[in-house]
């Protein structure tokens, strides 16, 4: 290992002196170790080649900071590990955002299906025809399952007003029912 380390340090000194061919030799002498480490540290195997290229670009930029009083290979692997960490941080954020986008897309699709189903429902159509003040108490009370007291608190109106609006809404829904008892039963099932 001592001869190999001396050979690497000699190549580093030549690179520092401006010998570009020496960097190619340094690359050839170390690529196996760098590639192996990156491959096993990186979970996204498709990014290995690009990351290895970035590592050697960083090595070329930083080689002037390397001091010959310590071994070259651990210095090189240190750069590789730091580049992997940086790559993983960037990809972690990218992956999180991608997953959130995909989850939101699935949620949006489910919501769209649910809304379409609701909009096609006869009860929904009848509730849509109610005046806003009556519709809001029906939605809060029966869709969200709030108690009459909670509805009063949400709307900041007296409980008696909530009760009278619910009564008026149910009465209108019964009158608007065009299919006989079916609609009345569905509304009463809500209560």
């Amino acid at each position: 290992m001592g001869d190999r380390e001396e050979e690497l340090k000699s190549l580093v000194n030549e690179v520092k002196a401006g010998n570009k061919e020496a960097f190619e030799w340094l690359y050839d002498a170390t690529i196996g170790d760098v590639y192996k480490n990156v491959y096993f540290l990186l979970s996204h195997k498709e990014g290995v080649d690009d990351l290895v290229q970035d590592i050697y670009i960083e090595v070329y930029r930083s080689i002037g900071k390397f001091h010959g009083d310590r071994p070259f290979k651990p210095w090189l692997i240190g750069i590789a590990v730091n580049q992997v960490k940086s790559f993983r941080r960037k990809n972690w954020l990218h992956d999180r955002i991608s997953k959130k986008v995909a989850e939101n897309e699935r949620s949006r699709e489910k919501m769209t299906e649910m809304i379409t189903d609701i909009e096609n429902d006869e009860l929904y159509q009848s509730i849509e025809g109610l005046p806003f003040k009556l519709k809001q108490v029906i939605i809060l009370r029966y869709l969200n399952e709030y108690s009459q007291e909670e509805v009063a608190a949400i709307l900041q109106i007296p409980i008696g007003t909530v009760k009278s609006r619910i009564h008026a809404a149910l009465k209108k829904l019964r009158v608007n029912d065009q299919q006989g008892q079916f609609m009345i039963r569905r509304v009463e099932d809500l209560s």
Side-chain angles (χ1 to χ4, degrees), residues 32-167:
D33 292 326
V34 170
Y35 195 91
K36 175 178 54 177
N37 280 281
V38 171
Y39 184 85
F40 287 110
L41 289 172
L42 203 60
S43 55
H44 296 285
K45 304 304 182 203
E46 65 276 359
V48 171
D49 292 334
D50 290 338
L51 186 54
V52 168
Q53 182 179 3
D54 291 345
I55 289 167
Y56 278 96
I57 290 170
E58 183 61 30
V59 167
Y60 190 78
R61 284 187 201 140
S62 302
I63 206 149
K65 298 175 188 173
F66 173 73
H67 302 291
D69 58 338
R70 53 189 188 147
F72 176 75
K73 192 172 163 191
W75 179 83
L76 172 65
I77 299 303
I79 288 177
V81 168
N82 286 334
Q83 291 284 38
V84 168
K85 285 180 191 175
S86 177
F87 182 84
R88 289 184 65 200
R89 266 193 306 273
K90 289 178 200 169
N91 278 333
W92 176 83
L93 181 59
H94 180 266
D95 289 348
R96 293 275 302 186
I97 291 170
S98 296
K99 284 179 185 176
K100 285 291 184 191
V101 167
E103 287 171 9
N104 287 339
E105 187 61 35
R106 284 191 298 273
S107 295
R108 195 176 354 229
E109 288 171 7
K110 287 179 184 176
M111 289 297 286
T112 301
E113 287 174 22
M114 188 174 79
I115 288 170
T116 301
D117 290 345
I118 290 171
E119 286 176 341
N120 291 330
D121 187 87
E122 294 171 45
L123 179 57
Y124 170 80
Q125 297 294 331
S126 296
I127 292 171
E128 272 298 295
L130 292 173
F132 182 74
K133 286 183 177 186
L134 300 182
K135 184 177 8 178
Q136 67 183 355
V137 293
I138 292 294
I139 298 295
L140 290 171
R141 175 70 182 103
Y142 299 111
L143 182 64
N144 293 293
E145 299 180 352
Y146 288 118
S147 68
Q148 291 180 353
E149 291 79 11
E150 290 170 320
V151 173
I154 290 168
L155 298 177
Q156 299 178 351
I157 58 175
I159 185 109
T161 304
V162 170
K163 289 179 181 182
S164 67
R165 286 183 185 174
I166 289 173
H167 178 74

Side-chain angles (χ1 to χ4, degrees), residues 1-14 22-37 56 66 68 70-74 76-77:
M1 174 125 166
D3 290 341
R4 173 136 165 90
E5 187 59 39
E6 289 306 315
E7 180 186 323
L8 292 175
K9 284 183 181 182
S10 174
L11 288 172
V12 168
N13 289 333
E14 288 184 44
F23 188 77
E24 290 178 30
W25 294 331
L26 186 63
Y27 173 89
D28 290 340
T30 58
I31 185 65
D33 292 326
V34 170
Y35 195 91
K36 175 178 54 177
N37 280 281
Y56 278 96
F66 173 73
R70 53 189 188 147
F72 176 75
K73 192 172 163 191
L76 172 65
I77 299 303

